[in-house]
Amino acid sequence: MTLTRRLALAAALAVPLAAAPALAQTQITVQHALPANSHTGVGALTFASAFERLTNGRYKVVAQRNDNEREMIESVQIGTIDCTFTSTGPVGNFVPEVRIFDVPFLFRDATHARGVLDSEIGQQVLARFPARGLVGVIWIENGFRNMTNSRREIHTPADLRGLKIRTMENQVHMRAFTTLGALPTPMAFSELVPALQQGTVDGQENPISVIVANNLNQVQRYMTMTRHVYSPQVMICNPQTVGRLNQADRALFQQAAWEAQAANRARVTADDEAGVAELRRRGMTVVTEVDTAAFQAALAPAFAEWERTLDAATLRRIRDWR
Ligand code: PAF
């Protein structure tokens, strides 16, 4: 077992052992956004089958879809469901230290993002969850987010001016879009398609994997490969659910989570590779020439604010990570 894995096992599941025997709970309910056949569904279903297999069927894991991520986290917190696979979108409202990973243009590529999240930096943030009544088990991902809209091609920040863009309920993302001159409108993903159909918003931003899995090409004409922010996901569980597992089952639980992470990341990589061609095939206009430097320059006031309001030393460590 690598150091990272030992750290993850120690930190992520560091909640006191309860007196109850391992067999007291045989069913675990896990909710995830998006269809079963998406990178998120694949992660949750891999966890489910791996944990059932590793425990020889002593546990049954029921996976359910819920496109309202804030609601899923609240349900985990109060214990009406056991675990969720969620983007970090709303997580910063529960565990503010997570917001550092939502800063635009922080990660160079998937290797950088995955490396940081699996390192001590990511584990330290997972270790903040128990103070908020949650257990952060493992980092998975959505991938890099791209902008879509129904009005025009976006090449520079000037093209974004005045567009109503749905964002997640995430104050870092909202600040970014305001700074870029757009009108951010936060809402749960479950409300997005009707909002696009009714023109309440002009556009949205999500990784290719999400755009393909949800057929957003049916309600959006243009996509620009802005890759403006990496979108982590995290598996979050209820502390009592984890506390009811005995030591051996906790190790199997973590093992199942690693299998889920590998399946999720492989699927995001595959979706990213095939997605542009697929969306063009479905009739979308995909802009790949993007003035990234202009987006970064336009965000300068927001970057300065995040240096003050987030953890500047950790931001530097993340940028310098090799
Ligand atoms: O846009 C969002 O809310 C998230 O990216 C999604 C689609 C629910 C996946 O985590």
Side-chain angles (χ1 to χ4, degrees):
M1 195 186 284
T2 62
L3 174 64
T4 303
R5 290 197 162 202
R6 280 206 303 277
L7 274 170
L9 187 56
L13 300 182
V15 288
L17 282 169
L23 288 178
Q25 185 183 37
T26 56
Q27 179 165 310
I28 291 179
T29 305
V30 176
Q31 287 191 349
H32 62 89
L34 310 178
N37 183 25
S38 67
H39 62 294
T40 310
V42 163
L45 292 172
T46 300
F47 171 79
S49 57
F51 193 53
E52 289 179 0
R53 183 192 79 242
L54 291 165
T55 58
N56 295 318
R58 285 183 289 112
Y59 289 88
K60 172 154 185 54
V61 183
V62 177
Q64 301 170 339
R65 179 176 177 176
N66 182 348
D67 282 353
N68 186 326
E69 293 186 320
R70 179 173 43 76
E71 188 179 275
M72 287 195 288
I73 301 165
E74 285 166 356
S75 302
V76 169
Q77 209 169 36
I78 60 176
T80 50
I81 62 168
D82 297 296
C83 301
T84 174
F85 283 61
T86 174
S87 78
T88 50
V91 179
N93 301 325
F94 298 81
V95 185
E97 292 84 354
V98 168
R99 291 190 179 123
I100 200 156
F101 297 136
D102 296 322
V103 169
F105 299 111
L106 180 63
F107 296 107
R108 295 179 294 278
D109 51 29
T111 305
H112 182 198
R114 294 168 184 175
V116 167
L117 292 170
D118 292 347
S119 78
E120 200 191 1
I121 302 173
Q123 300 313 311
Q124 280 167 353
V125 174
L126 290 183
R128 315 303 297 208
F129 281 64
R132 307 292 170 154
L134 297 165
V135 177
V137 178
I138 200 164
W139 295 107
I140 50 169
E141 68 180 18
N142 271 325
F144 284 87
R145 300 179 83 87
N146 298 300
M147 297 179 199
T148 69
N149 81 95
S150 54
R151 303 238 169 230
R152 54 183 173 255
E153 293 186 12
I154 293 172
H155 296 265
T156 67
D159 301 322
L160 253 187
R161 193 154 294 280
L163 287 187
K164 283 178 274 165
I165 303 290
R166 175 269 174 178
T167 66
M168 296 193 287
E169 297 168 272
N170 180 297
Q171 53 174 256
V172 174
H173 290 190
M174 287 163 66
R175 174 75 168 103
F177 277 91
T178 307
T179 308
L180 290 170
L183 305 171
T185 308
M187 66 181 76
F189 189 72
S190 49
E191 297 166 32
L192 174 62
V193 170
L196 289 169
Q197 278 166 334
Q198 289 155 21
T200 316
V201 290
D202 302 305
Q204 63 89 47
E205 45 83 62
N206 251 305
I208 286 187
S209 48
V210 174
I211 297 165
V212 170
N214 288 278
N215 297 314
L216 292 184
N217 51 286
Q218 290 174 1
V219 279
Q220 296 280 265
R221 174 134 184 230
Y222 304 101
M223 177 171 88
T224 297
M225 297 286 292
T226 43
R227 293 175 65 85
H228 52 279
V229 68
Y230 176 75
S231 182
Q233 286 216 0
V234 57
M235 179 181 178
I236 304 176
C237 294
N238 177 275
Q240 273 138 22
T241 299
V242 177
R244 275 193 283 266
L245 301 171
N246 66 28
Q247 203 97 47
D249 285 348
R250 281 192 201 187
L252 300 176
F253 194 83
Q254 187 69 46
Q255 174 64 34
W258 281 321
E259 290 188 28
Q261 181 195 63
N264 157 266
R265 287 177 175 175
R267 179 60 186 272
V268 169
T269 301
D271 283 355
D272 253 4
E273 280 165 12
V276 170
E278 174 60 16
L279 291 171
R280 282 188 170 138
R281 194 188 62 76
R282 294 185 194 176
M284 259 189 136
T285 300
V286 180
V287 176
T288 52
E289 297 297 310
V290 184
D291 190 348
T292 303
F295 279 95
Q296 289 170 331
L299 283 170
F303 286 133
E305 182 180 307
W306 294 322
E307 289 294 319
R308 289 193 306 276
T309 56
L310 301 175
D311 177 351
T314 305
L315 278 173
R316 212 169 16 257
R317 277 178 73 203
I318 296 173
R319 290 199 179 98
D320 292 346
W321 193 92
R322 288 287 180 281

